[in-house]
Amino acid sequence: MAGRRIVITSGKGGVGKTTTTANLGAALAKRGYKVVLVDTDIGLRNLDLVLGVEKRIVFDLVEVVEGRCQVRQALIRDKRFTSLHLLPAAQTRDKTAVSEAQMDALIGELAEEADFVLIDCPAGIEHGFRNAVAGAREGIVVTTPEVSAIRDADRVVGKLKERGLPHTLIVNRIRPEMVASGEMMTVDDVRDVLRTEILGIIPDDEEVIDTTNRGEPLVLDPNQRLAPIYLKIARRLEGEKIPLTRLESQTFLTKLFSIWKAG
Amino acid sequence: MLRGTKSGLEFVFAADAGDAVLSDLTARLSERPDFYRGSRATAIFQGAPLESDAFAGFLDTVRAHGIDLHGVYGAAELGPFAERHALAYLGEPPRPVVTSLGQRRPRKVVAALTERARSLEADFAGAREDIARRRARGETSVAKPDFAKAAAIRAGAASAGPTVAPPVLTVTPGTPATLYHRGTLRGGQILQQIGNIVVVGDVNPGAELVASGDILVFGALRGTAHAGAQGDTAARVAALELAPTQLRIATCIAADDVKHKAREPEVAFIRDERIAIAPYAKAGLR
């Protein structure tokens, strides 16, 4: 059976698409699935850096599409999880180097071999977005609890609906103490606007910055506070019913504690 | 050796030069009999003077070609020799004499090598095979400069919207030449050259240099560099700060896992079928 083809998108930039792709991919790999991450941000690739494999890139997505190398030559296997692979984007080309049909065929080919193909989508809703979505059969929309991110997420949800792609939502960078004090939107507020099933809630945490700079998905380290959260999201993605931990309706002490098991 | 300088022609006789050198020079002059007519010239002896009669004969030939050979550089013992041939003795050679300039010869490496460069055999086995196949077919080892095909693909996509020219700054197919680029190369920019590339400035991560010959960066090389891209295993990559994302020379690929801060210029070249990196000053390369 062919693997699932999931695009991770947001509309707005900087909300955590690439970090989410890397960590969700690592979480799925850790749970034993064969995972291929595809960076479709041609010309502005980042996923290789977050995974710490930038020095090992020889061929890229555009060269595969143009038939200059085999897919397996361009795939970079993660050294920590051998079931986690990256297909890097080209850095010296632009989004128009690939068409929607080519992307769809390429992702289809990858899905023959993998259980999950996670497509890291570029910001925006133009050519790069259309390419990334063309290869997908379902979507995950990442947003943060800010009005600008939510407006863009809403636009993207609409685009996914137009194409008939089932989709869920990850709310990233929640700060429970700000939610409690009324300075930040609650997850319920977000859900009310977007009317989309929530796949996960990820608290804001500076360890993300640190692990991103080191090129290590934090899922790899069980001591990282966010690791169990991504693992939980991975399990939900597999279809397990795990209730969301409610961050905003708690007292101060339980809130502090809850960050450890949120998601 | 015969060479032209600002101040005129120079006949350079190496320390071990014998009569054969004279006949070589004579032959070279007679290839183009009038080419040097009217030039002033000096003779530079790096060792002992040549046998007197032979040199006298050579002097006649030189003058017959219209060259005014007026003086001799060399050690003090050249003084009487110059006098005998009615030439001025000009003293020690004016500067260290470079015996090979721009001349390729087998390179001998004398320096101890740092262990920085690691080849990624396992990961790149497939890529290497592909590159080897390309070369066997007589194609470039990296498929990059296939612009006709890329243009065709872009043309096909033209109906989808406006197209953007590829970020290729310079392509000079055909004759080998050196591309000189001044300024910083940023991520996404690429220089490709049949010949050598010289960059005066930094090459940032994500930028790429592809040359069929050597690559020299007078600045920090942090991006990817591919020298000898058509298979020249004698090609090298040198930089004031050599900290590339990835290095490729001919069909070898290397990446550096360790963060590294060299305090001196370094040069990368192929040794024992791997990419090696050595401090430039100690590498013994010329």
Side-chain angles (χ1 to χ4, degrees):
Chain A
M1 197 190 92
R4 289 169 65 183
R5 304 155 65 164
I6 306 171
V7 64
I8 294 170
T9 181
S10 69
K12 188 175 180 300
V15 298
K17 282 182 301 293
T18 299
T19 311
T20 303
T21 307
N23 283 296
L24 196 52
L28 287 165
K30 196 171 180 181
R31 294 186 50 74
Y33 294 99
K34 186 168 179 194
V35 181
V36 178
L37 307 181
V38 182
D39 190 349
T40 61
D41 204 348
I42 298 166
L44 285 172
R45 71 178 175 209
N46 277 151
L47 192 51
D48 54 319
L49 276 176
V50 176
L51 291 169
V53 300
E54 74 276 12
K55 298 198 166 195
R56 295 164 55 199
I57 296 174
V58 177
F59 295 115
D60 55 51
L61 186 150
V62 174
E63 285 168 319
V64 173
V65 165
E66 293 180 353
R68 300 179 185 187
C69 68
Q70 306 289 317
V71 176
R72 64 169 178 84
Q73 291 173 353
L75 284 179
I76 301 170
R77 194 174 61 201
D78 191 280
K79 281 182 175 161
R80 298 148 296 207
F81 288 122
T82 52
S83 64
L84 181 63
H85 299 74
L86 170 69
L87 179 60
Q91 180 70 349
T92 57
R93 303 293 294 273
D94 61 67
K95 309 274 190 284
T96 58
V98 177
S99 72
E100 291 183 41
Q102 286 170 328
M103 192 67 92
D104 188 28
L106 173 64
I107 304 297
E109 191 180 337
L110 292 171
E112 293 292 316
E113 302 285 327
D115 301 310
F116 286 91
V117 182
L118 301 187
I119 305 160
D120 185 21
C121 179
I125 50 171
E126 295 82 25
H127 201 107
F129 170 82
R130 290 196 297 270
N131 276 344
V133 172
R137 294 296 175 267
E138 51 194 306
I140 294 175
V141 178
V142 180
T143 189
T144 57
E146 293 158 293
V147 284
S148 56
I150 287 168
R151 178 186 289 179
D152 292 359
D154 187 50
R155 184 97 169 81
V156 164
V157 167
K159 290 262 172 199
L160 295 179
K161 274 194 173 149
E162 275 172 27
R163 288 168 182 259
L165 289 193
H167 51 274
T168 51
L169 187 71
I170 288 181
V171 185
N172 198 12
R173 298 223 193 105
I174 280 274
R175 298 178 69 167
E177 74 284 359
M178 286 180 74
V179 172
S181 66
E183 293 168 274
M184 186 178 267
M185 249 182 250
T186 67
V187 173
D188 285 340
D189 294 340
V190 176
R191 189 184 353 229
D192 281 349
V193 176
L194 295 177
R195 298 271 165 215
T196 303
E197 184 198 337
I198 291 182
L199 182 68
I201 302 163
I202 302 168
D204 196 23
D205 198 312
E206 61 204 28
E207 75 185 14
V208 170
I209 298 168
D210 180 45
T211 53
T212 298
N213 287 343
R214 279 187 288 133
E216 290 169 13
L218 50 82
V219 169
L220 298 175
D221 182 353
N223 296 323
Q224 298 283 2
R225 293 181 290 277
L226 296 183
I229 296 175
Y230 282 108
L231 286 167
K232 222 185 248 184
I233 295 175
R235 283 163 64 196
R236 281 197 202 104
L237 201 56
E238 291 161 31
E240 237 181 278
K241 300 274 180 239
I242 305 172
L244 294 168
T245 310
R246 304 193 61 81
L247 297 175
E248 59 269 28
S249 61
Q250 291 160 348
T251 64
F252 181 72
L253 275 178
T254 54
K255 225 158 42 200
L256 272 184
F257 179 65
S258 72
I259 295 180
W260 292 78
K261 51 170 197 175
Chain B
M1 188 177 86
L2 171 63
R3 66 185 181 197
T5 70
K6 240 181 351 196
S7 52
L9 290 175
E10 287 177 353
F11 294 96
V12 184
F13 299 97
D16 58 351
D19 292 350
V21 176
L22 290 180
S23 45
D24 280 354
L25 284 171
T26 308
R28 189 163 162 199
L29 289 177
S30 52
E31 275 171 21
R32 304 156 91 179
D34 286 317
F35 187 73
Y36 300 105
R37 188 165 296 281
S39 313
R40 275 171 72 77
T42 52
I44 297 174
F45 286 90
Q46 293 172 311
L50 291 160
E51 197 269 308
S52 227
D53 286 349
F55 187 71
F58 172 68
L59 215 49
D60 289 342
T61 315
V62 168
R63 288 182 177 142
H65 282 286
I67 299 168
D68 173 22
L69 178 55
H70 64 95
V72 171
Y73 286 102
E77 53 172 322
L78 265 299
F81 175 81
E83 210 171 311
R84 215 173 315 139
H85 292 286
L87 298 170
Y89 174 62
L90 302 170
E92 296 282 325
R95 58 187 169 272
V97 176
V98 180
T99 49
S100 75
L101 198 65
Q103 183 182 327
R104 286 215 164 199
R105 51 179 193 177
R107 282 145 181 174
K108 224 163 112 191
V109 180
V110 290
L113 304 172
T114 59
E115 268 301 307
R116 287 228 292 127
R118 297 175 191 189
S119 65
L120 301 166
E121 305 285 348
D123 283 1
F124 295 140
R128 281 170 191 280
E129 280 165 26
D130 187 64
I131 290 171
R133 269 199 302 278
R134 276 181 185 292
R135 289 192 49 209
R137 289 198 301 258
E139 297 171 15
T140 54
S141 49
V142 174
K144 299 268 169 161
D146 188 2
F147 297 111
K149 190 173 171 191
I153 288 165
R154 274 197 304 279
S159 56
T163 57
V164 184
V168 173
L169 302 181
T170 307
V171 182
T172 316
T175 42
T178 294
L179 167 66
Y180 179 89
H181 177 88
R182 206 168 105 178
T184 304
L185 274 176
R186 299 182 186 279
Q189 292 181 316
I190 179 167
L191 290 183
Q192 293 170 323
Q193 179 73 0
I194 305 291
N196 310 307
I197 294 178
V198 176
V199 175
V200 178
D202 293 344
V203 178
N204 284 352
E208 223 178 293
L209 305 175
V210 182
S212 67
D214 296 341
I215 292 174
L216 172 63
V217 177
F218 217 76
L221 170 55
R222 302 194 186 94
T224 294
H226 189 169
Q230 289 179 316
D232 181 4
T233 52
R236 312 149 175 168
V237 179
L240 293 188
E241 187 190 333
L242 190 64
T245 306
Q246 198 182 86
L247 271 184
R248 306 174 193 171
I249 300 178
T251 57
C252 291
I253 301 174
D256 193 11
D257 285 340
V258 192
K259 274 254 193 298
H260 161 91
K261 195 89 181 164
R263 304 197 179 279
E264 56 187 333
E266 291 182 307
V267 58
F269 46 89
I270 293 185
R271 193 189 199 191
D272 300 333
E273 296 177 358
R274 305 179 53 178
I275 294 179
I277 294 176
Y280 190 86
K282 293 179 190 153
L285 301 173
R286 173 149 291 162

